[in-house]
Amino acid sequence: MKDQLYKYLLLLGDNSMILGHRLSELCGHGPNLETDIALTNISLDLFGQVRSYFKYAATLKEGETEDSIAFLRFERDYYNTILVEQPNKDFAHVIVRQFLFDAYHKPLLEQLMNSKDETISAIAHKSIKESKYHLRFSSEWVKRLGDGTEISHQKTQNAFNTLMPYIEELFIETPLELAMKNEGIGADLNLVKASFDKTMSDVLPSANIETSDIKLRKTNGKSGFHSEYLGFILTELQYMQRAYPDMSW
Amino acid sequence: MTNKKEWPVWEVFIRSKNGLEHRHVGSLHATDAEMAIENARDVYTRRMEGVSIWVVQSKDIVASNPEKMGELFEPAADKVYRHPTFYNLPVELKHI
Amino acid sequence: MTQEIKLEEIFQSRIDNGEKIEPKDWMPEKYRKTHIRQISQHAHSEIVGMLPEGNWITRAPSLKRKCCLLAKVQDEAGHGLYLYSAAETLGITRDEMTEQLLSGKAKYSSIFNYPTLSWADIGAIGWLVDGAAIINQVMLTRTSFGPYARAMVRICKEESFHQRQGYEIMLGLAQGTQAQKDMAQDALNRFWWPSLMMFGPRDEDSPNTAQSMKWKIKRKTNDELRQQFIDITAPQADYLGLTIPDPALKWNEERGHYDYGEIDWEEFWQVVKGNGPCNKERIDARQKAWDDGEWVRDAAMAYANKKAANRNESKTGS
């Protein structure tokens, strides 16, 4: 049970960490200052969540710290979804990736607020405010880009075509998630899916985005099977901890 | 030379806590009012500086002309009777 | 002509009396131009300054350090924004200033043309580069142009954590393993002299200083500020157990200041002229962000215009 809770915290934290990492790559490279600052705020929110999850996880396993959990696992032991690993191909990809994640993340946190685990519930109560803001921000931008100019529309549709296939695994319950749900600790992904679908039908028409033809893909990042991108993310993320082991910073 | 494509400039006013007035804190660029509020939140309240935000497009602000400062504001200078210190009352008097 | 001279006299006496100048006030054309140049340079420095530090965000060694660095680099975007806003009150747009940066017409602080080669460089930048910047900026909170002074007040308030975060990184390294100490010393070796150059050329080679002092854009000369920085920083290096790479650096009891060695001005001018180690990379990165962002900025504007037009239509329709 303790083991499963530990892994579940990693799953929650890893999504925030890898997405936070992708956003942090953009700091200083945004389309203008206001947008640069906004995206970095989201990244900071996500890293704040990561630290809460990992600090809690560290109390469950002898010898671990938030940093050992963040930096010293092998690739297969990260449980984030494939969606958040996807690169910052252009601003449309950044926004669409964010939007798809937020549309999943917000209802997930809404359920975790009622988790029987008090710490998870507390983290969710704090994070939900951030997530609501993120979803509003990314929804507005999806509309702006989708219904802005011809170029922006095309790029946004392309980004959906590329990224939408990865949403499938968000809602497929792994044995770990099933166990956590049954314990009253984890979220019910069917309910998350219902909310996700509603967000899509609220936002996509006003953005002129068509997704009905997009084929979903079978991926399973949540069980540690990742895209080729994650290895490179970890190469950067872990560089200092690997090159200078056992030092404090 | 001005680029028509540039996002308009907005002035930002923030109430730091209830009970205080909104104060001008600076400006930023945004395409519309909603975005101006969001940008103001991200740019000007990163350190819990506010509980309420006003934004207004800079071009919509009407300002007095500094060259008319004399005629606008100096006439008030000799109206000393508007200030409480103008009135001489005995010092032993309290609460007035 | 005589009218102009009289206005200038009144203007100067306002500054001498410690009055602030506001954007719509009459001001000599040269005052306006000097301010546009200086404030935009200052803004560009904040924005270009994001790049060397941003270089280490994805490789920061701990979650805590990562968050601190992200927040710091983000603050620099904010500071650039405040400063561009101050310059915009003088009748130039942010886009115009950006174009001047990209074309090389506008300069930025030469320090950001040095590469960040190790994590310790992030500590050294916070400690030395922000330390040097703060000395300049505190002086500028009392400058004569209102919007610039107000931006500086806000920036100084936010900046106080930057230098502390840098020094804390250095402290961690100085108390760490030999590898960490070496990393810290190496960063100090590379950033010490460029930090001293941040205060600009020697007073005798700085022809604009007199006018700037008269307008209170500057309140101390380059050499005075440099000396102030060295006097503050030398004991901080001692505390870390690091050696400042200047054999001539020595406390002078008589002067009440540290003596220091000759700065390599040839290097300074080379970097200013664009021949520093990273000048091209920095501008290329800004150019790329600007170009990649163009369709985004255009789309957002087009969307807002469309929405506004729809609103007007439905108003007239009803």
Side-chain angles (χ1 to χ4, degrees):
Chain A
M1 184 20 226
K2 210 166 146 188
D3 244 23
Q4 282 186 314
L5 177 59
Y6 179 78
K7 267 180 108 170
Y8 191 61
L9 289 166
L10 265 44
L11 188 155
L12 294 171
D14 286 345
N15 272 326
S16 293
M17 181 164 74
I18 302 303
L19 185 57
H21 179 95
R22 280 300 192 206
L23 291 171
S24 80
E25 293 174 349
L26 290 167
C27 182
H29 306 276
N32 65 2
L33 290 175
E34 285 82 356
T35 320
D36 201 310
I37 291 170
L39 288 174
T40 303
N41 265 348
I42 297 179
S43 179
L44 280 168
D45 286 343
L46 292 170
F47 276 113
Q49 295 164 12
V50 173
R51 295 189 68 187
S52 304
Y53 287 127
F54 288 178
K55 269 185 186 153
Y56 179 33
T59 65
L60 300 175
K61 202 164 174 187
E62 189 74 36
E64 297 291 349
T65 65
E66 58 165 339
D67 286 331
S68 71
I69 294 173
F71 297 102
L72 293 175
R73 281 177 282 154
F74 291 112
E75 196 178 333
R76 188 65 68 81
D77 302 323
Y78 284 81
Y79 303 119
N80 58 280
T81 58
I82 306 296
L83 173 70
V84 296
E85 301 169 5
Q86 298 306 302
N88 304 323
K89 205 178 145 214
D90 61 17
F91 191 74
H93 280 71
V94 172
I95 289 298
V96 172
R97 183 185 61 204
Q98 191 66 38
F99 172 66
L100 295 173
F101 179 74
D102 295 339
Y104 151 83
H105 196 210
K106 185 184 135 262
L108 180 82
L109 289 171
E110 275 164 351
Q111 288 201 50
L112 293 180
M113 283 162 64
N114 302 319
S115 171
K116 257 174 38 192
D117 185 292
E118 280 174 21
T119 312
I120 290 185
S121 165
I123 297 172
H125 270 92
K126 181 176 173 292
S127 309
I128 186 70
K129 291 175 202 140
E130 298 165 347
S131 180
K132 275 183 183 164
Y133 186 78
H134 301 169
L135 179 58
R136 205 174 78 198
F137 175 87
S138 57
S139 305
E140 282 305 307
W141 269 104
V142 163
K143 289 188 230 166
R144 272 185 204 114
L145 298 180
D147 189 25
T149 62
E150 227 167 276
I151 298 175
S152 72
H153 173 75
Q154 198 50 53
K155 284 179 187 281
T156 309
Q157 183 66 57
N158 283 346
F160 272 98
N161 296 347
T162 310
L163 297 170
M164 196 84 179
Y166 298 114
I167 64 157
E168 170 118 300
E169 73 162 310
L170 299 174
F171 309 108
I172 293 179
E173 215 165 51
T174 57
L176 173 67
E177 288 169 303
L178 174 67
M180 285 294 107
K181 181 183 75 181
N182 291 340
E183 290 287 340
I185 294 174
D188 180 343
L189 294 181
N190 285 323
L191 298 175
V192 176
K193 174 84 164 74
S195 168
F196 178 92
D197 289 342
K198 181 165 185 318
T199 302
M200 293 302 124
S201 58
D202 284 348
V203 175
L204 296 188
S206 38
N208 296 328
I209 294 298
E210 190 48 67
T211 56
S212 51
D213 292 344
I214 298 176
K215 299 265 180 300
L216 300 183
R217 288 167 67 161
K218 294 271 170 243
T219 53
N220 197 3
K222 289 196 291 193
S223 299
F225 299 94
H226 293 281
S227 71
E228 290 177 348
Y229 295 119
L230 186 69
F232 291 97
I233 291 175
L234 296 182
T235 304
E236 275 189 53
L237 190 76
Q238 299 186 343
Y239 165 67
M240 289 296 292
Q241 290 276 345
R242 297 290 187 196
Y244 302 92
D246 300 324
M247 298 183 200
S248 65
W249 303 94
Chain B
M1 183 82 181
T2 27
N3 180 355
K4 275 206 212 83
K5 292 194 293 187
E6 189 163 0
W7 294 2
V9 180
W10 298 72
E11 300 301 324
V12 180
F13 300 80
I14 290 187
R15 184 202 293 288
S16 56
K17 62 178 186 192
N18 276 357
L20 296 179
E21 70 278 53
H22 285 78
R23 279 187 65 180
H24 184 242
V25 295
S27 47
L28 48 71
H29 290 249
T31 55
D32 56 29
E34 292 80 28
M35 195 208 265
I37 293 271
E38 288 182 9
N39 288 351
R41 177 258 193 198
D42 284 324
V43 172
Y44 288 106
T45 67
R46 297 198 301 283
R47 290 177 169 78
M48 301 185 295
E49 290 96 336
V51 295
S52 164
I53 300 173
W54 287 350
V55 292
V56 57
Q57 247 195 73
S58 308
K59 69 172 175 59
D60 293 333
I61 289 187
V62 182
S64 62
N65 182 346
E67 275 158 37
K68 295 198 178 136
M69 201 152 76
E71 58 199 80
L72 282 175
F73 306 115
E74 272 167 33
D78 64 352
K79 312 289 193 297
V80 282
Y81 43 80
R82 288 192 195 276
H83 298 276
T85 45
F86 178 73
Y87 301 92
N88 287 315
L89 295 182
V91 282
E92 55 272 29
L93 215 58
K94 300 263 191 289
H95 306 298
I96 181 161
Chain C
M1 189 62 206
T2 42
Q3 175 70 4
E4 187 86 349
I5 290 171
K6 196 162 158 250
L7 282 170
E8 279 211 46
E9 270 170 24
I10 299 172
F11 179 81
Q12 188 58 49
S13 68
R14 287 184 62 197
I15 292 185
D16 294 343
N17 290 335
E19 275 184 53
K20 296 285 183 211
I21 306 302
E22 294 298 341
K24 285 182 162 24
D25 293 352
W26 185 89
M27 61 184 78
E29 197 47 31
K30 198 168 166 229
Y31 181 90
R32 178 189 304 275
K33 286 208 169 118
T34 303
H35 271 85
I36 289 180
R37 198 187 62 229
Q38 183 171 332
I39 301 172
S40 67
Q41 269 185 23
H42 197 159
H44 298 327
S45 299
E46 297 281 354
I47 301 309
V48 176
M50 297 171 76
L51 300 169
E53 288 177 281
N55 185 33
W56 278 87
I57 290 173
T58 57
R59 290 177 290 170
S62 70
L63 289 175
K64 176 187 149 190
R65 292 288 173 215
K66 192 185 289 286
C67 291
C68 295
L69 182 59
L70 249 182
K72 176 178 188 253
V73 179
Q74 183 199 38
D75 269 352
E76 281 153 16
H79 298 170
L81 192 154
Y82 307 156
L83 288 161
Y84 282 128
S85 298
E88 282 176 285
T89 65
L90 290 168
I92 185 168
T93 68
R94 198 197 288 172
D95 279 4
E96 284 166 354
M97 288 184 268
T98 304
E99 278 155 20
Q100 290 177 355
L101 169 68
L102 298 178
S103 71
K105 191 177 160 222
K107 301 274 177 244
Y108 54 89
S109 180
S110 56
I111 189 83
F112 302 117
N113 292 315
Y114 290 87
T116 48
L117 303 176
S118 79
W119 170 252
D121 290 11
I122 301 307
I125 287 182
W127 171 37
L128 301 173
V129 177
D130 289 306
I134 288 169
I135 285 179
N136 245 316
Q137 288 168 348
V138 166
M139 171 184 77
L140 285 169
T141 58
R142 295 182 298 136
T143 188
S144 64
F145 184 54
Y148 194 22
R150 289 192 288 275
M152 270 355 286
V153 168
R154 180 167 267 275
I155 289 171
C156 282
K157 232 188 260 170
E158 299 188 354
E159 194 111 318
S160 53
F161 104 76
H162 293 185
Q163 197 193 6
R164 295 173 70 96
Q165 90 61 72
Y167 197 77
E168 200 191 75
I169 290 175
M170 295 304 275
L171 205 54
L173 297 175
Q175 293 166 349
T177 62
Q178 193 57 46
Q180 287 173 306
K181 286 179 185 150
D182 293 347
M183 192 190 283
Q185 182 63 54
D186 174 61
L188 174 58
N189 292 348
R190 281 178 293 110
F191 276 94
W192 174 254
W193 291 105
S195 300
L196 296 191
M197 294 177 197
M198 285 175 71
F199 296 97
R202 274 181 302 225
D203 290 349
E204 58 264 39
D205 301 323
S206 177
N208 297 326
T209 294
Q211 181 65 71
S212 296
M213 302 271 277
K214 218 173 134 206
W215 283 337
K216 299 190 180 168
I217 307 175
K218 259 191 185 168
R219 288 172 166 260
K220 288 180 183 168
T221 69
N222 294 353
D223 285 332
E224 284 169 347
L225 292 168
R226 189 163 18 241
Q227 183 71 59
Q228 190 184 335
F229 172 73
I230 292 169
D231 291 348
I232 292 173
T233 312
Q236 295 171 350
D238 286 343
Y239 187 84
L240 292 172
L242 299 177
T243 309
I244 289 176
D246 177 1
L249 188 88
K250 205 167 149 264
W251 176 252
N252 183 328
E253 193 64 53
E254 214 171 294
R255 286 204 311 130
H257 292 292
Y258 281 87
D259 291 335
Y260 57 98
E262 189 58 30
I263 291 169
D264 182 353
W265 292 109
E266 171 58 20
E267 176 182 323
F268 172 75
W269 290 113
Q270 281 301 322
V271 179
V272 169
K273 281 180 197 143
N275 304 322
C278 294
N279 294 59
K280 185 168 183 324
E281 288 80 351
R282 301 298 182 234
I283 291 300
D284 285 354
R286 289 314 309 157
Q287 182 78 52
K288 184 172 187 311
W290 181 244
D291 292 344
D292 289 352
E294 188 180 11
W295 69 269
V296 179
R297 298 189 299 272
D298 289 352
M301 203 62 242
Y303 178 76
N305 289 339
K306 227 186 270 185
K307 265 203 334 190
N310 284 344
R311 257 202 306 271
N312 284 338
E313 216 166 89
S314 61
K315 252 188 230 160
T316 43
S318 65

